[in-house]
Amino acid sequence: MFRFQRTSLRRRVALAAALVLSGSLALAACGGGGDDSGGQPAATTVSQADIDKAMSTPTELTFWTWVPNIQKEVDLFQKKYPAIKVKVVNAGQGGPQYTKLRTALKAKAGFPDAVQIEFQYIPTFSITKSLMDLRPYGAETLKDKFVPWTWQQVVGSNGEVWAIPQDSGPMGMLYRKDIFDKHGIAVPKTWDEFAAAARKLHAADPKVYLTNLAQSQAGVWFGLLWQAGVKPFENTGADSVKVDLNGAESKKVADYWSGLIKEGSVSTDADFNDQWYQSLNRGKYATWLTAAWGPVFLEGSAKATSGKWRAAPLPQWDAGKNVSGNWGGSTTAVVQGTKNPIAAAKLAEFINTDPESTKMFATQQFLFPVTKSLLADTSFVDRPLPFYGGQTVNKLFAGISDTVDTEFEWPPFLDQAYSDWGETVGKSFANKTDTSAALDQWQDRTTKYAENQGFKVEQ
Amino acid sequence: MSVNTTDRLGARAPSRSEVRRRGRGVSHARTGYLFVAPFMLVFLGLLVLPLAYAAYLSLFQERLIGGTVFAGLDNYTRALTDPRLLGGMGRVALFFLIQVPIMLAIGLLAALAIDSGLLRAAKTFRLGIFLPYAVPSVVATLMWGYLYGQDFGPFAQLAGKLSLPAPTFLSSDWMLGSIANIVTWEFTGYNMIILYAALRAVPHDLYEAAAVDGAGAIRTAWSIKIPALRPALLVCLIFSVIGSFQLFNEPQLMQRLAPSVIDSAYTPNLYAYTLAFTGQEVNYAAAVSFLLGAVIVVASYAVLFMSTRRSRS
C-alpha cells in the first residue's frame, strides 16, 4: 500500500477489502470495455426553487466514506433536511474504495451518489468523467470559506469544482524532545541543519535514526517535492500533461535524501506495518516527517512514548523562508450519473461547511480542518495536547496550513505514478543505489505509461 | 404406510419390461440433467461467462484518452515480450521446482508416520500438522512477517542476544525462500491429509501378504504404500502447480514489509492485479491472466503426461 493509513483498524479494513479483491484471476469478473457515460452537463445554475423542491422531496442518498462515525455529521444534515435519507457505506479506505467505485461506474450500477475522494485522486477521477461539476449547485460561492490551497486542489482546469474539501494534511515535523535533549540537538530549522543533526545523532547512537524516509511512501515524497517548489505534473489540457519528475529541483531533493541514506544516517523502512509501529514506540526514529493528521495518529499508535513528542515546522531549504507541502486530505465529491445530484451536492456542501459539522470532524474524528473559520477558532487551535507535553499542536499546523503552495497539481494517473515511484526512486533508497538514475527511470516509466494511455506528454 | 398407498404404488409401478421399453437412458438422463443443472448454472455464470468476457476484453485496448479500440492480439504479443511478466513466470517456476518437492516430501513422511501406527498421540500430531491450513493465508503471512522482522522479530532478537547479525529474511536474496517457508507451513498438512486418506484405502491383504513375505515397516512403505499413493501424489502435484503459479496473497502482503524487494511484477498474478487496479490496464491484465492460465494448463498437462508415462514403463 502506498497510501497513508490513519488507524490500524482502518488498515485492517483496507486489508480485508484487498483480500476480497485478491481472488486469483478475479479480474475476469470485473472491469469492462464500455464507453464513458455521457459528457458534462452544461454548467447552468440550478435555481433556488429547484433546490428547495429537491431538498423537500423524499430521497435516499448513498454516501461512500471511510471516516469513522461520520453518521454524526450526516445526522445533522438529515435533521436539517428530513426528507433526505442518507445511507452511509464504508467501502474501504483509499485504494480499495476507488477500485470498487471504478468497477461500479463501469457496471453502471451500484455506485454511490456522494463519495469521499482524496485530493490527489481528483484528476484521476475527473478525467474519466466520474465526478460532477458542482458549480451549478452554487459550489463556487463556498470558495472563500476554505484555505486557498485546499480549494485550488478541487478546482479543474476549466474552473470546474469537482468536490468540496473535507480535511487536509499540511506537513510538519514531529520530534522526540527527550532524544534531542539527550544528544544536545537543537530543532533543525533548515535541511542543512537537519542533515548535520542526522549525522550527529546516528554517530552518537547507532540504533537511532533522526528520521525514516519510507521506501514505499510516495505520498511523503510528493509532499517534500511540494515544499521544495517542484511541479512534477501540470495538466496542460484535456489530453495533455506535463511530466517533470527528474528536473534540477527534483534532483536536488533526491540527492539530499539519498546522500543521508547512503551514509546510513537515515533509515528507509517501509511504513505503516508492525515493524514501523514498534520502531516508533521504541525510539528508533527521533522524528516523523508527517502531516497535520499525524499527531493524533501517533498518539494512537505510539502510546508508550506519550509526553516525549513535540511538533515543529518542516526544515526549510532556504533559511528564513517558511513553506510547506501537503500529504493526504480528503474531499466529498458527487458521482456522475447520480439520480439525485442536487441532494448529493448539498450533502457534500453541508457536512463540510456547516460550523457544527466541521467542528465535529475536527474534534471527534480529528480530521485536520480546511475551513478558515475553524482554523481561527480558539477552542480548536488553543487546545493543549498532553501527548505533546501540552503543546498547542493544532495552532502550529493551522499556521503551517497557510504556507502550503496553491499551485501544486496531481496527474490523472496517480496510482501508476505512485507505484512507479516505489519501484524506481523508493527502490534506490532501499538498495542505496543511484537515486538520480532512478529519477530518470521514474520519468521514463511514467511518460511511457501516459503516452500509452493516449496523453500528449510534455517534458 | 397405509394399505392405500401401497395399492397406489402397486398400481402405478410399471413392469420391468415396460421400463426397458421406455428406455431407461432417456428418463434417467432427464433426471440427471436436473441434478446437474445447479452446478451447470453456477459453472456457466461464474466460470465460463467471465472467462469468455475476459477473452473478449483482452482483444481491446482502453485508454484514458481516446477510449476503446480493437487491438486484436496486440496485448498478447506485448505480454509475450514483457520482461516483467517473463521474470515473474520464471520466479514462480523456480518456486514450484524447489518448494513443492520439499512440501510433498514432508507431507508424505507425515502421512506414512501416522499410518504406521507406531506414533504416540497420532491424532494430536495429525491435527498439529493440519492446523496451519486452517489459518487463512493472510493471517499466516502477517504472522510470519512479524517473525521475520529485522529489528524486533523473535529471530532477530535471538540473534542479537547471541551477538550475531540479524538474519535478513526479507532481503531480495532470501525473500523467495521466506515465502516458500510460509507456503510449506500452510499446505503441508493439507497434502498430508490427502495422502493419509489414500493410505487408508490401501487393501489390508497387501500388507498381510507383505508381512508373510517378511517385509518390515520400511520395506512395506517403500514397496507397497508409496506405489499405492501415486494417484494421490499426482493430485497433490497438480494442485501445487496451480497454487505455485497463482501465488498472490503471500507476496502481496510481504510487499508491505519489503516493498523494494517485491515489486508489482513479482509474480504473474500480482502483476495482473496491479495492471488492472493500479494502471487501469484492464485489457492487458486480461491477456496476462489468459497467458498465465495457459501456462498452468500446459504445466499441469506436462506433470500428468510424465507421471502416466512413468507408471506405464
Side-chain angles (χ1 to χ4, degrees):
Chain A
M1 272 280 152
F2 34 77
R3 223 164 273 105
F4 68 86
Q5 314 275 352
R6 283 184 213 166
T7 67
S8 59
L9 176 70
R10 268 178 284 159
R11 204 159 60 90
R12 266 170 234 139
V13 169
L15 211 62
L19 172 67
V20 169
L21 290 164
S22 70
S24 50
L25 302 179
L27 305 168
C30 44
D35 54 340
D36 293 313
S37 54
Q40 290 295 312
T44 47
T45 310
V46 176
S47 72
Q48 189 58 42
D50 285 344
I51 293 177
D52 291 342
K53 189 177 162 227
M55 299 313 285
S56 54
T57 312
T59 307
E60 181 164 327
L61 292 180
T62 308
F63 178 26
W64 284 8
T65 169
W66 59 79
V67 174
N69 302 321
I70 199 168
Q71 191 65 46
K72 290 180 184 175
E73 286 83 357
V74 167
D75 284 345
L76 293 175
F77 172 77
Q78 294 186 131
K79 211 166 110 193
K80 184 169 175 194
Y81 302 105
I84 317 285
K85 294 275 171 287
V86 182
K87 194 172 146 217
V88 175
V89 178
N90 184 342
Q93 174 173 8
Q97 186 208 267
Y98 301 142
T99 303
K100 281 179 203 153
L101 181 61
R102 284 179 184 127
T103 310
L105 282 166
K106 283 220 163 139
K108 299 189 173 69
F111 54 82
D113 301 285
V115 66
Q116 178 174 5
I117 304 272
E118 287 159 289
F119 285 123
Q120 67 269 30
Y121 277 90
I122 289 175
T124 301
F125 282 97
S126 62
I127 189 132
T128 53
K129 300 187 176 72
S130 307
L131 306 180
M132 285 195 73
D133 181 3
L134 300 180
R135 281 178 298 179
Y137 313 103
E140 269 174 322
T141 59
L142 307 173
K143 182 182 176 184
D144 292 334
K145 291 179 190 283
F146 291 93
V147 174
W149 73 266
T150 62
W151 187 258
Q152 202 54 42
Q153 291 277 301
V154 301
V155 173
S157 46
N158 298 319
E160 301 96 336
V161 177
W162 293 123
I164 309 293
Q166 183 163 76
D167 71 304
S168 69
M171 285 182 78
M173 176 172 77
L174 304 181
Y175 66 95
R176 285 283 295 269
K177 186 173 186 298
D178 57 329
I179 296 178
F180 274 36
D181 287 351
K182 188 176 160 198
H183 296 285
I185 292 168
V187 179
K189 297 228 158 27
T190 63
W191 287 113
D192 283 340
E193 288 175 25
F194 187 86
R199 292 184 189 112
K200 183 178 167 184
L201 179 65
H202 190 64
D205 186 348
K207 281 186 181 154
V208 180
Y209 296 86
L210 182 60
T211 200
N212 177 59
L213 188 71
Q215 53 184 271
S216 52
Q217 195 48 270
V220 167
W221 191 253
F222 275 101
L224 292 173
L225 290 181
W226 194 329
Q227 186 212 14
V230 182
K231 302 263 186 318
F233 297 101
E234 280 174 62
N235 297 302
T236 47
D239 57 355
S240 61
V241 61
K242 193 173 167 204
V243 180
D244 182 17
L245 306 173
N246 58 349
E249 286 292 296
S250 189
K251 287 209 162 158
K252 179 182 83 175
V253 183
D255 286 346
Y256 173 85
W257 285 102
S258 73
L260 286 176
I261 289 163
K262 276 184 194 154
E263 31 176 285
S265 353
V266 163
S267 61
T268 57
D269 304 333
D271 56 3
F272 298 100
N273 58 40
D274 290 335
Q275 152 104 3
W276 181 80
Y277 289 117
Q278 295 206 33
S279 300
L280 281 173
N281 271 294
R282 301 193 191 192
K284 185 181 174 187
Y285 319 130
T287 71
W288 182 27
L289 304 178
T290 186
W293 46 262
V296 175
F297 177 85
L298 188 69
E299 221 177 303
S301 11
K303 289 197 178 74
T305 55
S306 180
K308 294 176 179 168
W309 292 84
R310 298 290 181 277
L314 279 186
Q316 300 292 313
W317 287 103
D318 302 305
K321 266 207 176 168
N322 183 20
V323 289
S324 186
N326 176 70
W327 175 23
S330 282
T331 68
T332 311
V334 175
V335 178
Q336 186 74 254
T338 168
K339 292 194 178 69
N340 312 300
I342 296 178
K346 288 294 153 188
L347 172 70
E349 176 184 328
F350 179 89
I351 59 170
N352 297 315
T353 58
D354 177 73
E356 204 182 334
S357 172
T358 51
K359 188 145 190 183
M360 267 190 196
F361 276 137
T363 56
Q364 296 188 25
Q365 283 111 345
F366 302 108
L367 302 185
F368 194 76
V370 284
T371 57
K372 288 178 186 165
S373 58
L374 201 53
L375 288 168
D377 184 337
T378 50
S379 70
F380 172 72
V381 294
D382 289 337
R383 205 160 55 94
L385 302 184
F387 191 85
Y388 299 88
Q391 191 183 356
T392 50
V393 174
N394 289 338
K395 189 176 208 158
L396 179 87
F397 278 101
I400 294 174
S401 182
D402 287 333
T403 67
V404 176
D405 181 21
T406 54
E407 300 297 314
F408 197 87
E409 288 184 53
W410 298 101
F413 38 79
L414 189 72
D415 294 285
Q416 189 68 31
Y418 267 15
S419 163
D420 283 341
W421 180 85
E423 295 186 2
T424 56
V425 183
K427 202 167 188 163
S428 81
F429 288 154
N431 299 343
K432 301 192 180 179
T433 52
D434 188 351
T435 298
S436 188
L439 279 179
D440 295 343
Q441 230 185 323
W442 185 27
Q443 168 81 15
D444 192 45
R445 276 173 77 157
T446 308
T447 307
K448 277 210 183 104
Y449 174 83
E451 283 172 350
N452 206 13
Q453 288 291 337
F455 288 94
K456 288 192 206 79
V457 182
E458 301 167 40
Q459 310 234 356
Chain B
M1 278 290 130
S2 68
V3 178
N4 200 5
T5 320
T6 325
D7 272 4
R8 255 197 257 156
L9 279 175
R12 271 190 187 182
S15 68
R16 275 186 192 182
S17 57
E18 234 180 349
V19 170
R20 224 170 283 137
R21 249 182 290 126
R22 255 197 250 154
R24 195 178 272 173
V26 177
S27 71
H28 277 214
R30 258 185 225 146
T31 328
Y33 286 135
L34 210 65
F35 279 121
V36 173
F39 165 77
M40 288 310 280
L41 279 179
V42 174
F43 179 72
L44 278 175
L46 296 179
L47 200 79
V48 176
L49 277 179
L51 273 176
Y53 185 50
Y56 168 79
L57 279 184
S58 72
L59 302 178
F60 292 84
Q61 195 198 5
E62 188 192 5
R63 314 202 295 180
L64 286 170
I65 303 291
T68 308
V69 287
F70 183 74
L73 294 176
D74 284 1
N75 287 323
Y76 290 94
T77 49
R78 181 182 160 196
L80 286 172
T81 54
D82 186 338
R84 306 193 70 205
L85 176 63
L86 300 178
M89 289 282 190
R91 195 171 286 117
V92 289
L94 180 71
F95 180 89
F96 167 74
L97 289 175
I98 296 175
Q99 186 264 337
V100 171
I102 295 175
M103 175 177 70
L104 293 187
I106 302 176
L108 177 64
L109 280 178
L112 288 173
I114 297 169
D115 189 61
S116 70
L118 299 173
L119 265 189
R120 261 183 224 170
K123 276 189 182 164
T124 321
F125 179 76
R126 194 168 73 194
L127 188 68
I129 294 191
F130 186 69
L131 206 59
Y133 181 69
V135 177
S137 66
V138 172
V139 178
T141 311
L142 290 176
M143 191 191 84
W144 278 100
Y146 163 72
L147 294 175
Y148 290 151
Q150 243 129 28
D151 283 325
F152 307 113
F155 293 119
Q157 291 194 341
L158 189 69
K161 287 219 171 94
L162 301 171
S163 323
L164 295 169
T168 51
F169 292 119
L170 302 173
S171 65
S172 52
D173 291 342
W174 283 94
M175 183 56 88
L176 204 59
S178 299
I179 293 178
N181 176 49
I182 301 175
V183 174
T184 307
W185 181 81
E186 281 178 287
F187 291 103
T188 297
Y190 175 73
N191 289 299
M192 175 198 75
I193 291 290
I194 295 180
L195 297 174
Y196 177 65
L199 275 179
R200 302 306 290 172
V202 176
H204 257 268
D205 341 353
L206 287 177
Y207 296 154
E208 280 161 21
V212 167
D213 282 352
I218 292 179
R219 183 64 208 246
T220 312
W222 183 255
S223 300
I224 297 186
K225 292 188 182 179
I226 293 184
L229 281 180
R230 188 166 276 156
L233 275 168
L234 192 60
V235 166
C236 292
L237 201 59
I238 299 278
F239 282 169
S240 302
V241 171
I242 297 169
S244 298
F245 280 90
Q246 291 197 342
L247 204 59
F248 180 86
N249 277 343
E250 292 81 3
Q252 203 218 11
L253 287 161
M254 295 303 264
Q255 198 173 36
R256 291 166 156 270
L257 304 177
S260 65
V261 176
I262 298 188
D263 65 11
S264 57
Y266 196 76
T267 70
N269 228 353
L270 194 58
Y271 188 42
Y273 175 82
T274 317
L275 285 171
F277 295 119
T278 301
Q280 314 308 321
E281 296 181 272
V282 176
N283 311 93
Y284 185 45
V288 165
S289 305
F290 257 86
L291 283 178
L292 175 63
V295 168
I296 292 175
V297 168
V298 169
S300 307
Y301 185 76
V303 165
L304 210 63
F305 181 72
M306 282 191 298
S307 58
T308 47
R309 205 176 52 171
R310 196 178 299 161
S311 66
R312 258 185 232 139
S313 63

